Amino acid sequence: MPRITVTVDGITYEEEVEPRLLLVHLLRDRLGKTGTPVGCDTGNCGACTVMLDGKSVKSCSVLAAQADECDVVTIEGLGRAGELHPMQQAFHAEHALQCGYCTPGMIMAAIDLLRDTPDPSDEAIREGLEGNLCRCTGYSNIVRAVRRGAREMSGETPAPATGGEVRTS
Amino acid sequence: MTEQLDAGLVGRQIAESDQLGDPKDGREVGRARRRKEDARLITGRTTWTDNIQLPGMLYVAFLRSPIAHARITRVDASAARARPGVVAALTGRDFADEQGSLPCAWPVSEDVVIPDHPPMASDEVRYVGEAVACVVATDRYKAVDALEAIEVDYEPLEAVLDMTEALAEGSPKVHEAGNQAFTWKFSGGDAEAAFRDAPVVIDRTYVQQRLIPTAMEPRAVVATTDGGSFTVYSATQIPHILRVMLALTTGIPEHRLRVIAPDVGGGFGSKLQVTAEEVLCLLLTRRLGKPVKWTESRSEGNLTVHHGRDQIQKISLAAERDGRIRGVRVDLLADMGAYLMLVTPGIPLLGAFMYNGIYKMDAYDFRCTGVFTTKMPTDAYRGAGRPEATFAIERTVDELAHELGMDPLEVRRRNWITHQEFPYATIAGLTYDSGNYEAATDRAMALLGYDKLRAEQADRRDRRDPVQLGIGVSTYTEMCGLAPSRVLGSLSYGAGGWEHAAVRVLPTGKVEVVTGSSAHGQGHETAWSQIAADALGVPFEDVSVLHGDTAIAPQGMDTYGSRSLVVGGIAVLRACEKVKAKAAELAAHLLEASPDDVEFSTGTFAVRGTSEGKTIQELALAAFAAHDLPEGFEPRLDAEVTFDPENFSFPHGTHLCAAEVDTETGMVRIRSYVAVDDVGHVVNPLIVEGQVHGGIAQGIAQALFEEAVYDSDGNLLTTTMADYLIPSAADLPDFVTDRTETPAASNPLGVKGVGEAGTIASTPAVVNAIVDALRPYGVNDVPMPCTPERVWRTLAGAAPPGSTAAGRGGAGESEGGER
Ligand code: FES
Ligand code: FES
């Protein structure tokens, strides 16, 4: 069995893996990283999205063996020193999740989207998140959240949240 | 950094952002609170059922029938047992003595046929995907590997796929008793008279295609036992109903069964079920004495999670030439699939009371025939019967408008119940308590820019623009808040529609709310906290909400049918009021005042006209200490309530969709979508808006994208997410949403429910828009889903603009006319 060394959320693991073991199953079943869920078996839903060496991948479409010598960041390792990542904060503020099943993958994909396009248009956000499916939200608030996350990550002060009622702060 | 500290920090950041949306009056209800549930969901600390690992856990995989209809002549699992890691390989015969029959809780009629439905088939399979054997192994890969070593011999029988053919003489039978599951009739007024000599009669046939609910979390079950009692974790909407049904099905005594719905990743009705896998996992843990886990793959789920819709609707509408509706007749064929599951036959009947929509009429006649086919059973999917009804009436009213050359909104105005007429007893026997269709419609028209778009439409028609513009209207209502128990009884449903809540003020003044409602994305923890915070005068942060575990919340009727707030939320409010009454009694005793002189305001009980008072927190501690209590006062500040609603609630609204249809490619683009909903008073506008967004998306998906397709042998072709197309962000527009508010008269919060509204309203709005765009081509229907190919084919068979040829529809029989 191949032996791999992989860093996940800052901790380095040495694991013996079957060649066919999927990265998402390594994360979930072996390393207890259950923050990353599985939503399909054809690479369509994006629920399993993680960062692999800084780029988003669908961890159900990557073999654990391919992650040898790689650095993996999951939703659990996203916030630093106990602080929420601005994108996590933005999803909360804009009510961009309901059941939350798609959320870890959606947040990872959104962060990756901003790497290439720091100030995306609504259309670019919608196109950029095409590989991440959400059945609950209808996406409107996800688009708002990504916009908000983009503003915060670029250091701008965020405008008040756009959803729901007029707010005072 | 420890996990706990980490969580604390996260909690603080979230609390800070929750300050957004400060209420003007200090009240929590009505405030756009950020959700409490989010903290764990955005950080990956969720407990999905598949996350649960128990010592010694074994993994289950099912072998499923690859044939729609066949007799099983041999199953041999012995070779699988020899595979590495395999603990057991079992067939239907192995479970024969203990598996019982999966329940149908809704025997809708005297003539209903409820066939035996073994969780694992042993003699005959009736749909592709039916379980015929299983493997239990030490890991999930090994379990799946060993399935290939199981041998099954099938003797194929004829598949039964088409409902009309299934009812014809000489059709192959799904079950011995035949293919008719039930017939059900309902009428109000004299339909004969309404249709006799009617100046206008519109006859249409609409097909509600079969849908796959597709909650993002696949189903999963974990079952474990200590030898005497059993715990089942399931990704379910209905832990309480499941517990009762598992006990009845397996004979395991109910008091030895605990069911837990941990975090559940969406349901939309699909997890309102008692499934084969839940029963079999329970039996496996009993048999093997080890915890077992089963998690479905998406392809397995598309095959075996119950499907939704699948009806053929014949609808006739009789009207005067001025547009006034005289009556409506509906004749429905509803595909049950191969078996009647938990509420399968009741689903089309939930629509029976809604085909009259928001309109006044003299007569209404409804009949429904349930039909067995060799497909996955159907059951609840968001809206459950009501989207189908709303689609049919809203499409038909548009047809009437076209027939009369009137604006579709004008026809509606001439028929709808005006706001002065509430409460209004409808022809279908319901009493609509409140509403204002005028207000919602006016607002929606303004937001859409209705008149301007109509002008643009006329211009494009004149120019023969290859891209035509259509405006779709849907003025819907729905019955929510399922349901008054006596009504459910009169419809032969097997249970009641009450909900339970318990409220405890703990010695430290913090509050626990226990609810029988079982949220799976709806935000109950937040909304119930808002209700309790106002009612008890405690901080929102001091309330926690417990649910989804029959050991923690022993009573409940769970979450479906837009019932949580209207039934469960009211139960919470009532329980708070009971607690307050106790607290007032204790306060009066401690303050040596008469209970009548004690007043409550923002958490303090004070003697009228004095500054003397006790806070609810002080009273909770005093009750706990129990040193000085009134005579007969139990030393705790808590209460329980079981609330049974007296009526349904009736949210309504006007949805308008502007769609561009490219007549050369058949491509439909939604240009703008406006939804103005009246869901009564609102507890949390953010949550309401989210529910509306998600609902609209699912309704649009039915109109444009989704269909479960079976081939002529009964194989499901849409087994993956690559074939069954749920919309992505790129497929959907932004939605413009607003609300009008007429409080529900039937409950003290004035709330109506919102979970299904968007889905019910949006499908006809979209299809009406497409048809409206194509009217100049003589098109009067496009079958759903209105894919580019369907639109293009409809147009290809249609008359060119300007010709006088008869109308053209894509869905078979479709005619309208003056008589
Ligand atoms: S689980 Fe990886 S894309 Fe669906
Ligand atoms: S929030 Fe439920 S799937 Fe996206």
Side-chain angles (χ1 to χ4, degrees):
Chain A
M1 267 204 266
R3 193 175 183 79
I4 62 165
T5 307
V6 58
T7 303
V8 180
D9 296 337
I11 297 174
T12 303
Y13 301 85
E14 272 195 20
E15 292 287 319
E16 292 202 343
V17 297
E18 266 190 85
R20 63 175 175 167
L21 184 73
L22 299 176
L23 176 58
V24 73
H25 286 147
L26 173 76
L27 293 173
R28 291 181 54 79
D29 296 349
R30 298 268 287 271
L31 309 183
K33 289 280 176 185
T34 50
T36 302
V38 177
C40 74
D41 46 9
T42 47
N44 289 95
C45 78
C48 62
T49 306
V50 299
M51 297 291 180
L52 186 68
D53 286 343
K55 282 191 188 158
S56 75
V57 295
K58 292 178 174 178
S59 62
C60 72
S61 308
V62 175
L63 296 170
Q66 290 173 293
D68 189 21
E69 303 289 324
C70 289
D71 184 51
V72 175
V73 179
T74 78
I75 191 74
E76 296 172 58
L78 198 54
R80 257 201 314 259
E83 278 187 29
L84 289 177
H85 187 281
M87 193 60 79
Q88 289 172 311
Q89 184 69 32
F91 268 63
H92 173 61
E94 295 289 358
H95 184 38
L97 61 148
Q98 290 177 29
C99 79
Y101 201 78
C102 70
T103 309
M106 201 65 85
I107 288 175
M108 300 313 262
I111 293 169
D112 196 41
L113 170 74
L114 297 184
R115 215 168 35 95
D116 301 328
T117 327
D119 183 22
S121 65
D122 284 9
E123 218 188 329
I125 294 170
R126 285 181 180 274
E127 295 292 333
L129 294 181
E130 203 176 11
N132 289 74
L133 299 174
C134 173
R135 192 57 156 169
C136 298
T137 64
Y139 302 104
S140 280
N141 289 354
I142 291 177
V143 174
R144 290 173 187 169
V146 176
R147 263 196 333 242
R148 167 186 275 263
R151 278 195 306 270
E152 294 202 22
M153 285 165 72
S154 70
E156 269 179 56
T157 6
T162 44
E165 292 211 319
V166 181
R167 272 159 236 129
T168 47
S169 69
Chain B
M1 178 148 308
T2 71
E3 200 67 3
Q4 260 167 342
L5 184 53
D6 188 4
L9 273 168
V10 167
R12 257 206 314 285
Q13 285 179 54
I14 284 183
E16 272 161 33
S17 79
D18 288 342
Q19 296 312 313
L20 292 164
D22 271 333
K24 282 147 220 82
D25 57 1
R27 285 174 60 80
E28 283 294 338
V29 168
R31 182 175 176 184
R33 272 287 187 187
R34 293 331 189 240
R35 298 195 319 169
K36 290 184 169 181
E37 330 16 30
D38 291 357
R40 63 181 189 278
L41 297 169
I42 55 177
T43 52
R45 291 191 180 84
T46 327
T47 310
W48 311 118
T49 299
D50 185 62
N51 294 2
I52 295 165
Q53 292 287 2
L54 299 170
M57 186 136 92
L58 301 171
Y59 297 80
V60 183
F62 290 98
L63 186 69
R64 298 180 178 281
S65 169
I67 302 179
H69 197 193
R71 227 181 310 280
I72 301 171
T73 52
R74 189 181 71 102
V75 191
D76 184 354
S78 53
R81 286 184 202 113
R83 291 288 184 106
V86 171
V87 175
L90 301 164
T91 73
R93 294 218 187 282
D94 296 316
F95 291 107
D97 295 338
E98 52 176 352
Q99 68 175 346
S101 178
L102 291 174
C104 172
W106 203 337
V108 291
S109 65
E110 296 272 301
D111 69 353
V112 69
V113 175
I114 302 183
D116 198 37
H117 187 186
M120 187 174 281
S122 56
D123 301 320
E124 195 168 323
V125 287
R126 296 183 176 87
Y127 64 92
V128 171
E130 197 167 353
V132 295
C134 69
V135 169
V136 188
T138 51
D139 83 35
R140 49 176 120 215
Y141 285 52
K142 290 192 176 92
V144 172
D145 284 350
L147 291 180
E148 67 184 24
I150 300 175
E151 289 174 29
V152 188
D153 292 341
Y154 296 99
E155 181 187 309
L157 300 167
E158 271 185 275
V160 180
L161 302 167
D162 179 279
M163 282 194 275
T164 316
E165 286 171 21
L167 292 177
E169 200 68 39
S171 163
K173 289 180 184 174
V174 181
H175 296 281
E176 239 346 274
N179 297 335
Q180 180 179 298
F182 68 89
T183 54
W184 196 88
K185 287 192 186 101
F186 175 79
S187 61
D190 184 349
E192 259 334 289
F195 277 80
R196 197 181 311 130
D197 308 321
V200 184
V201 174
I202 309 283
D203 290 312
R204 291 289 185 274
T205 300
Y206 296 117
V207 177
Q208 295 287 327
Q209 78 271 33
R210 185 175 268 257
L211 299 178
I212 302 178
T214 321
M216 284 307 299
E217 181 205 17
R219 289 178 303 161
V221 184
V222 168
T224 181
T225 181
D226 62 8
S229 51
F230 299 84
T231 302
V232 175
Y233 301 82
S234 181
T236 180
Q237 293 173 229
I238 52 160
H240 300 93
I241 296 174
L242 182 59
R243 181 192 192 204
V244 176
M245 289 299 172
L246 285 175
L248 291 172
T249 305
T250 63
I252 292 173
E254 190 180 349
H255 64 296
R256 301 229 175 272
L257 262 173
R258 173 181 180 188
V259 175
I260 301 173
D263 285 318
V264 176
F268 316 111
S270 70
K271 293 170 180 170
L272 163 52
Q273 193 54 273
V274 176
T275 67
E277 294 83 0
E278 286 163 336
V279 172
L280 293 169
C281 284
L282 175 57
L283 298 178
L284 282 168
T285 199
R286 177 164 78 176
R287 182 181 286 248
L288 303 171
K290 288 279 185 191
V292 300
K293 171 151 84 179
W294 168 76
T295 303
E296 76 185 355
S297 69
R298 178 61 61 181
S299 332
E300 201 177 13
N302 277 17
L303 282 171
T304 62
V305 173
H306 70 242
H307 293 168
R309 316 277 192 262
D310 207 344
Q311 299 175 1
I312 299 174
Q313 311 168 293
K314 278 191 204 292
I315 179 166
S316 305
L317 180 148
E320 308 289 354
R321 286 233 55 99
D322 65 0
R324 198 185 67 77
I325 299 170
R326 293 168 66 148
V328 167
R329 274 182 176 145
V330 175
D331 191 354
L332 205 63
L333 290 183
D335 193 339
M336 305 285 99
Y339 300 96
L340 302 187
M341 296 193 72
L342 191 60
V343 290
T344 301
I347 298 304
L349 310 188
L350 283 173
F353 308 95
M354 290 275 106
Y355 278 88
N356 51 312
I358 62 169
Y359 310 113
K360 297 176 278 192
M361 59 187 73
D362 307 326
Y364 170 58
D365 203 57
F366 174 90
R367 47 188 293 146
C368 175
T369 307
V371 186
F372 289 116
T373 58
T374 52
K375 297 181 193 171
M376 181 64 207
T378 57
D379 209 314
Y381 171 54
R382 204 169 190 171
R386 291 156 291 161
E388 296 93 312
T390 303
F391 181 89
I393 186 65
E394 289 303 297
R395 283 285 297 109
T396 307
V397 168
D398 258 34
E399 295 300 300
L400 174 65
H402 173 68
E403 180 63 28
L404 299 172
M406 286 169 68
D407 183 278
L409 282 167
E410 181 53 31
V411 175
R412 285 170 169 82
R413 277 182 202 285
R414 289 189 187 188
N415 286 288
W416 70 35
I417 302 156
T418 63
H419 68 275
Q420 300 96 334
E421 292 174 288
F422 290 96
Y424 185 87
T426 75
I427 194 69
L430 296 174
T431 300
Y432 294 178
D433 58 340
S434 71
N436 190 332
Y437 307 140
E438 301 93 318
T441 302
D442 291 347
R443 181 77 186 125
M445 288 175 75
L447 285 171
L448 185 79
Y450 187 81
D451 297 330
K452 218 170 138 208
L453 281 176
R454 281 282 178 219
E456 181 186 333
Q457 177 184 46
D459 177 55
R460 287 197 191 210
R461 283 182 179 178
D462 288 347
R463 285 192 284 116
R464 305 253 165 109
D465 191 328
V467 179
Q468 289 287 320
L469 176 67
I471 302 165
V473 176
S474 169
T475 49
Y476 76 99
T477 188
E478 57 159 332
M479 49 193 253
C480 279
L482 303 183
S485 297
R486 68 184 161 79
V487 176
L488 291 176
S490 72
L491 292 173
S492 312
Y493 180 61
W498 48 263
E499 194 47 271
H500 184 265
V503 170
R504 304 191 277 260
V505 188
L506 304 176
T508 55
K510 308 294 183 197
V511 175
E512 280 177 341
V513 171
V514 181
T515 175
S517 211
S518 190
H520 40 283
Q522 291 87 347
H524 291 15
E525 289 168 39
T526 304
W528 281 204
S529 295
Q530 291 177 271
I531 294 171
D534 273 359
L536 298 173
V538 299
F540 172 78
E541 294 75 15
D542 283 1
V543 183
S544 74
V545 176
L546 310 176
H547 65 90
D549 178 343
T550 61
I552 289 172
Q555 280 138 304
M557 274 294 174
D558 307 317
T559 287
Y560 44 87
S562 304
R563 71 188 304 272
S564 289
L565 179 58
V566 185
V567 191
I570 302 301
V572 170
L573 181 67
R574 291 266 173 95
C576 289
E577 279 161 3
K578 263 191 170 175
V579 166
K580 239 160 57 183
K582 277 193 181 175
E585 185 193 346
L586 179 56
H589 173 79
L590 294 175
L591 297 166
E592 295 174 351
S594 147
D596 295 341
D597 289 337
V598 173
E599 276 181 334
F600 175 78
S601 117
T602 53
T604 302
F605 295 81
V607 181
R608 188 167 311 147
T610 74
S611 57
E612 255 189 293
K614 295 274 178 200
T615 65
I616 193 156
Q617 290 86 355
E618 288 168 337
L619 293 167
L621 187 61
F624 170 74
H627 298 159
D628 180 14
L629 299 178
E631 194 57 35
F633 192 98
E634 290 185 0
R636 54 206 163 91
L637 215 47
D638 58 13
E640 293 189 29
V641 160
T642 304
F643 170 69
D644 203 327
E646 267 161 31
N647 191 2
F648 296 94
S649 59
F650 301 95
H652 71 83
T654 298
H655 287 214
L656 299 175
C657 172
E660 288 178 356
V661 184
D662 187 327
T663 57
E664 286 167 356
T665 63
M667 192 70 198
V668 174
R669 186 178 82 88
I670 295 181
R671 194 161 102 181
S672 47
Y673 193 100
V674 170
V676 177
D677 295 288
D678 183 338
V679 297
H681 285 326
V682 157
V683 172
N684 184 323
L686 207 61
I687 290 177
V688 165
E689 190 193 36
Q691 287 287 326
V692 170
H693 285 172
I696 294 171
Q698 282 182 24
I700 291 177
Q702 175 174 11
L704 296 182
F705 307 117
E706 296 180 13
E707 181 173 26
V709 181
Y710 282 87
D711 72 10
S712 57
D713 294 322
N715 299 302
L716 184 70
L717 300 180
T718 48
T719 50
T720 73
M721 279 188 158
D723 311 300
Y724 188 86
L725 300 178
I726 74 165
S728 77
D731 298 319
L732 292 172
D734 204 19
F735 310 123
V736 178
T737 60
D738 201 357
R739 286 186 285 108
T740 51
E741 219 171 279
T742 53
S746 51
N747 66 67
L749 283 177
V751 294
K752 298 183 181 177
V754 69
E756 295 157 303
T759 309
I760 288 171
S762 57
T763 312
V766 174
V767 178
N768 277 341
I770 296 167
V771 174
D772 186 51
L774 301 179
R775 290 281 187 205
Y777 298 78
V779 169
N780 70 14
D781 194 26
V782 178
M784 295 188 290
C786 305
T787 58
E789 184 191 335
R790 290 256 171 95
V791 173
W792 187 87
R793 279 187 193 285
T794 305
L795 276 166
S803 91
T804 52
R808 186 81 186 188
E813 176 185 336
S814 219
E815 59 197 56
E818 199 169 331
R819 294 207 180 159

